[in-house]
Amino acid sequence: MRVQRALVSVSDKRGLEELGRALANLKIEILSTGGTAKALSSLGIPVKQVADHTGAPEILGGRVKTLHPRIHGGILGRRDLESDEKDMAAQNIAPIDLVVVNLYPFREAVARGAPLAEVTEEIDIGGPSMIRSAAKNVAHVAVVVDPDDYPRVVSALKEKGELTQELRNELQAKAFAHTAAYDASISSYFLGQLGVPFPQQLSRPFEKAQDLRYGENPHQRAALYKDPLPPPEPSVPFATVLQGKELSYNNLLDLDSALGCVKEFDETCAVIIKHNTPCGVAIGASIEDAYRRARAADEVSAFGGIVAVNRPVDAALARALGETFLECVIAPSYATEARDLLAAKKNLRLLESPTLAGPRSTWKRGGMELRGITGGMLVQDRDVGEAAELKTAGKLAPTAEQLNDLRFAWKVCKHVRSNAIVFAKGGQTVGIGGGQTSRVEAVKLAARKAVLPLAGTAVASDAFFPFRDGLDACADAGATSCVQPGGSVRDAEVFAAADERGVAMVLTGMRHFRH
């Protein structure tokens, strides 16, 4: 069936002129409303106001424009059903063959912090109704919600005067996804206004940023989706890729881990991630110094690693980065000379996230963490908790230097897979052990991997020591201070062991499991 009449009503005016002129040149009647009709008329494109088509004026300040039988009857009427044709003829309803609609900018109003009354007015009613009507009647009507689809729609109309059923089906699926995401945004906003973290029905809108070559392994398909609006803190999906090969699924996971760890620090800091866990973290007098110290903690694992820094990349750091094969670097910015130096590393991905430079006080860290399991989804608060104070557990209180090391180790420990153990000294990781089924084994792994001296180190444990053997292993390795959550039924035994071994122990009262 040839397209003879189109209804065009869009908030996103991208491509509107080209579409309007093409429809007019094809002698397709254009119905429109409000700003869209005004925009088309100003371009000299013939357009018929919906109010003139329906014989009913817009009312309620524009809230009711298209909610009329001559609109929805024209869209929903089945051309191959005699009873529908009789109803349309009796009510003088002309068929509408093409619906081009996108919705009021609700999410944009939320993003700019508009007041509730203004946000509420950006909830589209007629638009979703027309989209759903057209999508339902896909056998006879085409619906277009994305300006990026205009060129191929116009091409099909020029070639055949109609859209194939295959194309209409594709546009139908996209239309329902469009309205579902829109409604999910509205739901999320009002649930947020009420402070409801875990609603009975969870709807989260995400937009596809890109297809990925594959997932964790080549036989797995994958894509990156991102929130419709940037979060109020640095994030990987909203960082700018400056150079390098296409990011992989594993790159993105590792970048998120690196970014999460470096965001713990106000000090000049560098983080190196390998296989989704830190292998070297350090603070330094300069960003080059911080990176070199992080790399020195485990140079073997740093090979092929992911780097995050919270200061601009200067030429000195760029030279240091060029000394080792790396997969990705994410930073607040890059000096011109640094970009020139790193350009020689054609496969090195460089990402830029300007707000990463801080201050951290300007970020709003939080939100929910979603993790899929077979047949369901687990949802929890993101772990952005910080221990309010460190409480001395035994007879020995840590020195000021030890306290600094303990705080540093504790921040890193949050980002290591459980069971997690981190040895640190002087603002530098010395040994990291994680992902073990036994805390004692995590201690032994961290000590075994250490290439820097363990004597006098501070050690952090992401959860309590269930027995004294874990603490003894830390002391055997050289630790002289320890930070852990506490809470074991054998705490007294562990505290006594710390006193016996000369280890100053402090408690956070907060656990940081990372499974």
Side-chain angles (χ1 to χ4, degrees):
M1 182 178 292
R2 297 187 68 82
V3 173
Q4 298 179 328
R5 187 171 292 103
L7 193 155
V8 182
S9 180
V10 293
S11 294
D12 184 349
K13 302 296 193 293
R14 288 183 298 124
L16 179 61
E17 179 177 358
E18 294 80 0
L19 175 68
R21 293 197 187 283
L23 295 178
N25 290 337
L26 290 166
K27 308 302 181 186
I28 295 172
E29 182 183 33
I30 301 174
L31 306 177
S32 193
T33 63
T36 304
K38 184 177 179 180
L40 291 168
S41 295
S42 70
L43 294 167
I45 298 171
V47 60
K48 183 178 183 180
Q49 288 276 359
V50 162
D52 295 331
H53 180 75
T54 62
E58 295 183 10
I59 61 173
L60 306 181
R63 279 190 165 194
V64 177
K65 297 189 285 285
T66 58
L67 297 172
H68 192 281
R70 286 187 177 172
I71 295 299
H72 286 277
I75 298 171
L76 283 165
R78 289 161 288 189
R79 280 58 156 174
D80 57 354
L81 191 64
E82 185 177 351
S83 59
D84 279 11
E85 289 186 334
K86 285 182 178 179
D87 285 344
M88 293 173 73
Q91 299 299 323
N92 193 26
I93 295 174
I96 296 172
D97 312 303
L98 175 64
V99 173
V100 182
V101 173
N102 53 58
L103 306 175
Y104 290 175
F106 174 85
R107 291 182 293 210
E108 290 77 0
V110 172
R112 66 173 181 269
L116 177 62
E118 184 179 338
V119 170
T120 301
E121 285 306 309
E122 294 295 355
I123 298 175
D124 204 329
I125 303 300
S129 298
M130 289 187 289
I131 290 172
R132 290 176 64 84
S133 294
K136 179 174 181 174
N137 203 22
V138 71
H140 308 285
V141 180
V143 58
V144 186
V145 296
D146 185 352
D148 290 341
D149 289 321
Y150 294 172
R152 58 181 180 152
V153 168
V154 168
S155 177
L157 291 174
K158 286 180 177 178
E159 184 179 342
K160 297 183 179 179
E162 62 182 2
L163 277 64
T164 64
Q165 187 65 57
E166 181 181 12
L167 178 54
R168 293 202 303 275
N169 290 343
E170 182 183 339
L171 295 171
Q172 174 197 43
K174 196 169 186 176
F176 280 123
H178 184 66
T179 57
Y182 190 77
D183 285 339
S185 294
I186 296 170
S187 170
S188 295
Y189 171 76
F190 284 106
L191 288 167
Q193 292 290 298
L194 293 171
V196 178
F198 306 111
Q200 187 63 35
Q201 292 182 314
L202 178 65
S203 299
R204 286 285 300 270
F206 290 99
E207 297 178 351
K208 188 164 77 170
Q210 67 184 93
D211 288 308
L212 302 174
R213 286 176 295 162
Y214 52 82
E216 284 184 289
N217 300 289
H219 63 277
Q220 295 172 271
R221 295 176 299 177
L224 168 65
Y225 286 80
K226 64 181 183 180
D227 283 314
L229 300 172
E233 62 177 307
S235 74
V236 172
F238 287 91
T240 302
V241 180
L242 301 179
Q243 77 165 48
K245 296 190 301 183
E246 179 184 343
L247 289 167
S248 71
Y249 181 97
N250 292 332
N251 290 157
L252 291 162
L253 281 177
D254 287 342
L255 280 163
D256 185 62
S257 293
L259 194 61
C261 188
V262 83
K263 285 193 293 188
E264 300 287 346
F265 296 92
D266 286 308
E267 304 95 328
T268 301
C269 181
V271 173
I272 306 174
I273 293 286
K274 193 69 172 290
H275 296 308
N276 212 224
T277 197
C279 62
V281 181
I283 56 178
S286 67
I287 194 59
E288 178 202 7
D289 179 46
Y291 168 71
R292 288 190 179 281
R293 299 182 78 225
R295 189 178 67 190
D298 188 350
E299 294 207 30
V300 173
S301 296
F303 183 87
I306 307 289
V307 175
V309 294
N310 63 359
R311 297 292 187 272
V313 177
D314 55 20
L317 175 56
R319 293 187 185 94
L321 293 169
E323 294 168 0
T324 304
F325 168 67
L326 300 170
E327 291 278 0
C328 311
V329 178
I330 186 166
S333 60
Y334 298 79
T336 301
E337 186 178 357
R339 284 293 308 276
D340 292 342
L341 288 166
L342 293 172
K345 303 284 186 178
K346 300 296 183 183
N347 292 330
L348 175 63
R349 294 89 159 176
L350 300 184
L351 286 81
E352 185 175 72
S353 182
T355 58
L356 183 53
R360 292 172 72 239
S361 59
T362 62
W363 305 339
K364 184 179 178 182
R365 298 181 69 194
M368 295 294 168
E369 180 178 275
L370 284 68
R371 182 180 297 185
I373 58 175
T374 303
M377 180 78 73
L378 295 172
V379 183
Q380 66 173 351
D381 293 321
R382 282 179 55 214
D383 185 4
V384 294
E386 297 181 10
E389 61 177 331
L390 302 181
K391 180 182 177 183
T392 300
K395 298 176 182 178
L396 293 175
T399 65
E401 181 180 356
Q402 286 175 327
L403 206 53
N404 286 336
D405 287 340
L406 290 168
R407 289 196 176 102
F408 174 86
W410 183 245
K411 289 179 179 180
V412 176
C413 194
K414 182 196 296 188
H415 299 273
V416 178
R417 295 288 175 184
S418 299
N419 288 311
I421 293 291
V422 174
F423 289 91
K425 186 175 177 61
Q428 179 183 30
T429 56
V430 175
I432 298 174
Q436 303 303 302
T437 55
S438 154
R439 193 157 300 278
V440 174
E441 288 305 312
V443 174
K444 292 178 179 178
L445 175 62
R448 188 166 63 248
K449 285 177 63 65
V451 293
L452 300 172
L454 284 163
T457 52
V459 65
S461 173
D462 66 339
F464 62 67
F465 290 97
F467 303 97
R468 69 167 288 167
D469 55 356
L471 186 281
D472 283 328
C474 291
D476 290 342
T480 55
S481 61
C482 174
V483 57
Q484 56 127 332
S488 168
V489 295
R490 293 183 175 84
D491 268 353
E493 175 187 329
V494 175
F495 300 164
D499 290 339
E500 178 187 323
R501 300 300 301 270
V503 175
M505 178 173 286
V506 296
L507 307 178
T508 64
M510 176 183 289
R511 188 180 75 184
H512 282 313
F513 269 161
R514 185 166 182 256
H515 277 52

